[in-house]
Amino acid sequence: MTTCPSSPRRSFTRAAYRCQCLERTLQDETFPVKVVAFDFDETLTLITYLIEDGDSEEVQKQIVKTNFQTPWVKGSRIEHLQSTSSELSPVGRGFFRLIGKAQNDMTSLFRSKRGMLKALAISKSGKRRALAVLTKNYAGAKAVHNLLHVSGLASCFDAIWALPTGGLYRCKDEWHEMCTPNVCHKADLLALVAESPHEFFPQLGSDAFEDMGPLKMEGIVLVDDQRANFQSPSGNQVLRFCKVARYDGYYRNLGYVKNMGGIGAHCFEDYETLKMFVEEPSTYKETLHLHCVERHFERSSEQHPVELIIFDFDETLTLATFMPSDPTFEEISWDLPSLEGSDWTAEDLLTYNFESPFCSGSRLQALKAMLEDLSKRYVLAILSRNDRGAVAVLNLLRLAQLADFFAAIWTMPFRQQVSCGAWKADAAWHVFEAPLLEVPDEKTEILYHIVENSGKWFPQMEGRLRRLQGLRPESVMLVDDEKENLQSASRFALRYCKVARYDDVYRNCGPLNQLGGIGAHSFEDFELLRRFAEAPWEFQEPHFPQEEADKPNAAPPWEDSRVPSRSEELVKLPRSRLRKSASSPTLRALGDLANLPGPMSRSQSFCLSDVISQSPRTSEPGDDQDAHEICLTGMDDSPR
């Protein structure tokens, strides 16, 4: 009897660090890719430090190394991006002499191939593609060009566009300034590129650059590390895109760095993946799956089992959260007849919250089966950032017949007039004050507080829940759709499931961003989550020890020139059904949404009307908030 060999460990554990190339559902799948636009920060670079006036050649070499060269894979990342070191600038060639040993480690296979950027510029059919840099780097196009020039990569690109305005284009070997429209979102700018390519590539039709012919959004690929850049509030979508992985870790002599990126930073397979995607994008249909990870920790080899699974609620158990506006929905005595005459029916609440329009079959039944199975082996709880409180979450779960699978529900932030905790004993639910004031308002910090003070979070610590006494951090599994909830400034969720997030037109709600939901696009999520809970050590992330050679005591002299990495996640669009109109569909009313004053907090993910309440996370409970009316008309509930 023969057995199938297991998958190579290296391929499995590095999957989280590989880029993802995806094509949305298109009307014209045969339209070729004619433009490839690259983000700069954490996409072309791993981490961005700018070259400033007066920097010596040696400092420039070190900045190039820090920006572009990866310590996690042997060989030269710059050479793999570009072509050969003979095409580098003098500083670039000096840099390669500096790391000559790493160059010698390159395999003959990689030496014989063109660099990724050179390969992307020419299709298999011999047609010329345009390559551009599309960045929000605050220093502008010239600073980006300077860094690309010193690293030897500038000649690979035809244009550099820096939002909101300004840019450069290359004609032969000379770069010229150009004006770009005042646009703040990358998807909006690429929509303009598709309409008028000559305005963004003034060199089209010249001897140096042939005309690319008609262009559509289908013909543009965006390579970016920020998911929010693939769809704007106006409704413009990037139809073909490559999402570069982001990660945290110890990096050279910079200590622990968060939100790094860089295509090919952890595996050179990224380059081949992107080249194949650009040639045959229709073979990379968008799939949105659950992502399960066990982080590396000191006791990971002991393989302690999972005891407690904490689920987020909004966009994790739900796809998007919709609740009745009736204030009695926040009372423990609420029952189904209370919906009569309200703005929601029971059927609509179940459909909009739990059923997926993106795959066939009942997601609610599959979710119920998974939770029932997990509840027999683990303690289940909910920790949600939800302003309506724990009882409102409980009532929605009751309506879906999911409440009995959970032992407790906690909602954050703390609010004086809203119940933030509920616990179950003998099928009866009780309200209590969860100890939210004893811990910072971050999920990871709460997770560790639960480990250290289980009795405060589970008042029913008797019988079956005695297993939670002596809980370890690795015994808790967190399931959430938001990356920021998986770690705080000093602590990490050691075992977690990251639910995929996406933007799409949702039922008759129009275009919504930051949608989620376990199993929203594939019921395989439910089985994957079961397997992870049973054996999380089979999903360990790779552990990259800090390199001893990169631990000098002193900080680099160019430390202050770093471009800060930040999340570009957009505020959530209101979760509300749109009134139908006889007018033609339009998304123009959403165009200025990103310019509204102040961010909308995560706790307002379930807006109940066509109003966005501007409630910064830093505001205190009970503060008066301004409201901004958004008029959304003409959206029909058309089938997907």
Side-chain angles (χ1 to χ4, degrees):
M1 179 177 177
T2 60
T3 59
C4 296
S6 59
S7 299
R9 182 174 179 80
R10 180 176 180 274
S11 298
F12 179 77
T13 58
R14 294 205 180 198
Y17 294 86
R18 298 187 63 173
C19 67
Q20 291 182 303
C21 297
L22 303 171
E23 177 186 82
R24 302 183 195 265
T25 302
L26 305 181
Q27 293 182 346
D28 187 0
E29 295 183 356
T30 63
F31 196 86
V33 174
K34 297 184 178 183
V35 176
V36 183
F38 289 84
D39 175 47
F40 184 69
D41 304 310
E42 289 81 51
T43 296
L44 289 175
T45 68
L46 280 71
I47 182 175
T48 305
Y49 286 88
L50 297 175
I51 292 176
E52 299 179 347
D53 293 340
D55 285 342
S56 66
E57 183 174 313
E58 186 62 28
V59 168
Q60 291 184 38
K61 292 176 186 177
Q62 293 300 325
I63 291 177
V64 167
K65 176 182 178 180
T66 302
N67 278 278
F68 295 101
Q69 296 292 4
T70 174
W72 296 298
V73 182
K74 289 184 177 181
S76 166
R77 181 172 174 268
I78 289 180
E79 184 171 315
H80 214 64
L81 280 171
Q82 192 227 38
S83 182
T84 60
S85 58
S86 62
E87 297 179 35
L88 297 177
S89 66
V91 170
R93 289 194 293 271
F95 167 72
F96 272 111
R97 288 193 296 271
L98 183 69
I99 60 164
K101 182 179 182 298
Q103 266 191 297
N104 294 332
D105 289 335
M106 290 284 290
T107 66
S108 58
L109 175 63
F110 287 144
R111 290 177 188 272
S112 65
K113 291 187 177 182
R114 287 183 298 171
M116 181 191 71
L117 297 174
K118 297 290 186 181
L120 291 177
I122 305 294
S123 70
K124 287 184 178 180
S125 62
K127 297 287 186 179
R128 176 77 157 84
R129 290 195 191 98
L131 303 188
V133 174
L134 175 54
T135 179
K136 293 184 180 179
N137 189 297
Y138 69 85
K142 289 185 177 179
V144 170
H145 169 264
N146 187 32
L147 192 50
L148 289 172
H149 173 71
V150 172
S151 63
L153 296 173
S155 62
C156 299
F157 295 96
D158 302 296
I160 300 172
W161 306 316
L163 298 183
T165 58
L168 302 170
Y169 71 95
R170 181 173 63 86
C171 188
K172 296 185 178 179
D173 294 327
E174 296 184 359
W175 286 86
H176 308 273
E177 292 189 48
M178 63 183 295
C179 294
T180 57
N182 187 4
V183 173
C184 293
H185 198 281
K186 292 184 179 181
D188 292 330
L189 184 128
L190 292 179
L192 296 176
V193 173
E195 292 176 4
S196 305
H198 286 79
E199 293 184 14
F200 294 87
F201 296 103
Q203 69 272 48
L204 284 178
S206 67
D207 293 340
F209 197 173
E210 66 184 30
D211 197 330
M212 68 177 64
L215 185 60
K216 303 179 183 179
M217 281 297 282
E218 290 93 325
I220 301 175
V221 167
L222 175 61
V223 185
D224 206 299
D225 67 304
Q226 298 269 5
R227 186 191 62 85
N229 290 327
F230 301 134
Q231 176 169 317
S232 80
S234 69
N236 283 322
Q237 287 186 330
V238 179
L239 302 179
R240 292 165 170 168
F241 57 89
C242 177
K243 170 66 172 65
V244 175
R246 302 190 76 173
Y247 53 94
D248 309 325
Y250 289 95
Y251 186 62
R252 302 193 184 279
N253 61 332
L254 303 175
Y256 192 79
V257 181
K258 297 179 65 175
N259 292 324
M260 290 186 288
I263 188 168
H266 287 89
C267 49
F268 278 162
E269 292 88 345
D270 279 1
Y271 309 121
E272 293 301 315
T273 298
L274 182 56
K275 287 191 285 186
M276 291 188 291
F277 173 65
V278 169
E279 289 293 339
E280 297 289 343
S282 61
T283 61
Y284 290 78
K285 288 300 181 183
E286 184 175 26
T287 56
L288 299 163
H289 291 285
L290 193 71
H291 178 56
C292 301
V293 173
E294 178 184 87
R295 297 183 191 269
H296 175 80
F297 56 96
E298 290 184 2
R299 300 184 301 271
S300 58
S301 61
E302 299 177 11
Q303 298 185 355
H304 288 288
V306 170
E307 300 288 351
L308 171 64
I309 304 178
I310 300 177
F311 288 86
D312 178 41
F313 182 71
D314 305 305
E315 289 80 52
T316 296
L317 293 179
T318 67
L319 277 76
T321 305
F322 300 81
M323 291 184 180
S325 56
D326 183 1
T328 65
F329 195 69
E330 300 170 17
E331 298 176 2
I332 198 78
S333 60
W334 179 89
D335 56 11
L336 186 58
S338 302
L339 284 177
E340 294 181 6
S342 71
D343 51 344
W344 287 92
T345 66
E347 182 181 0
D348 282 349
L349 283 172
L350 295 180
T351 299
Y352 278 75
N353 282 282
F354 299 105
E355 297 291 8
S356 173
F358 309 118
C359 55
S360 59
S362 172
R363 174 183 176 270
L364 180 55
Q365 293 303 316
L367 178 63
K368 185 181 300 183
M370 180 196 71
L371 293 175
E372 182 178 12
D373 185 25
L374 293 176
S375 65
K376 295 175 181 178
R377 294 179 286 173
Y378 314 100
V379 177
L380 307 187
I382 290 175
L383 175 59
S384 174
R385 186 174 291 278
N386 192 306
D387 280 351
R388 292 293 293 275
V391 175
V393 172
L394 170 62
N395 285 330
L396 199 51
L397 291 170
R398 280 173 167 173
L399 188 64
Q401 299 181 7
L402 301 175
D404 289 343
F405 304 128
F406 296 94
I409 299 171
W410 314 296
T411 55
M412 51 194 293
F414 173 80
R415 298 176 68 86
Q416 292 182 343
Q417 299 178 352
V418 177
S419 298
C420 295
W423 60 279
K424 183 181 61 126
D426 299 326
W429 282 89
H430 310 272
V431 174
F432 80 111
E433 291 298 329
L436 293 168
L437 294 180
E438 299 180 15
V439 63
D441 186 35
E442 296 186 38
K443 285 195 177 182
T444 309
E445 296 293 336
I446 292 175
L447 184 154
Y448 278 83
H449 195 271
I450 292 171
V451 169
E452 298 163 2
N453 306 274
S454 302
K456 292 184 178 182
W457 295 89
F458 295 95
Q460 72 278 41
M461 282 282 289
E462 295 294 337
R464 180 169 174 265
L465 292 192
R466 288 180 180 175
R467 63 189 294 183
L468 299 184
Q469 296 176 353
L471 204 60
R472 299 168 178 261
E474 62 267 27
S475 300
V476 182
M477 179 175 130
L478 184 61
V479 186
D480 206 297
D481 69 301
E482 189 163 5
K483 180 176 181 288
E484 286 74 12
N485 290 334
L486 305 175
Q487 67 180 55
S488 66
S490 59
R491 298 188 177 188
F492 305 90
L494 299 182
R495 290 166 173 171
Y496 67 85
C497 293
K498 172 66 173 66
V499 177
R501 298 174 75 170
Y502 53 97
D503 307 328
D504 216 319
V505 175
Y506 188 67
R507 302 191 182 279
N508 68 336
C509 302
L512 294 184
N513 65 339
Q514 300 190 43
L515 292 166
I518 304 167
H521 287 81
S522 172
F523 286 2
E524 294 177 6
D525 282 0
F526 301 115
E527 181 57 32
L528 179 62
L529 196 149
R530 289 187 182 99
R531 288 194 288 111
F532 179 67
E534 185 176 337
W537 43 85
E538 295 182 359
F539 296 76
Q540 286 186 3
E541 70 175 355
H543 177 54
F544 302 112
Q546 187 179 5
E547 291 185 329
E548 295 296 330
D550 285 333
K551 290 184 180 179
N553 294 325
W558 31 266
E559 174 68 24
D560 294 337
S561 68
R562 183 187 174 189
V563 176
S565 175
R566 74 271 183 218
S567 174
E568 298 175 5
E569 192 71 78
L570 301 176
V571 296
K572 284 189 177 180
L573 295 174
R575 281 14 182 176
S576 59
R577 294 174 293 183
L578 307 181
R579 295 183 296 273
K580 293 185 178 180
S581 169
S583 62
S584 60
T586 177
L587 301 178
R588 297 297 181 188
L590 291 170
D592 295 330
L593 183 61
N595 297 323
L596 289 177
M600 182 168 67
S601 82
R602 281 281 303 175
S603 59
Q604 294 173 334
S605 64
F606 51 85
C607 296
L608 304 174
S609 64
D610 294 343
V611 175
I612 294 184
S613 175
Q614 300 301 307
S615 176
R617 186 174 294 186
T618 55
S619 63
E620 295 296 328
D623 288 352
D624 293 333
Q625 306 295 338
D626 296 328
H628 300 265
E629 295 287 343
I630 305 295
C631 179
L632 305 173
T633 61
M635 297 303 302
D636 294 325
D637 192 8
S638 56
R640 181 175 172 82

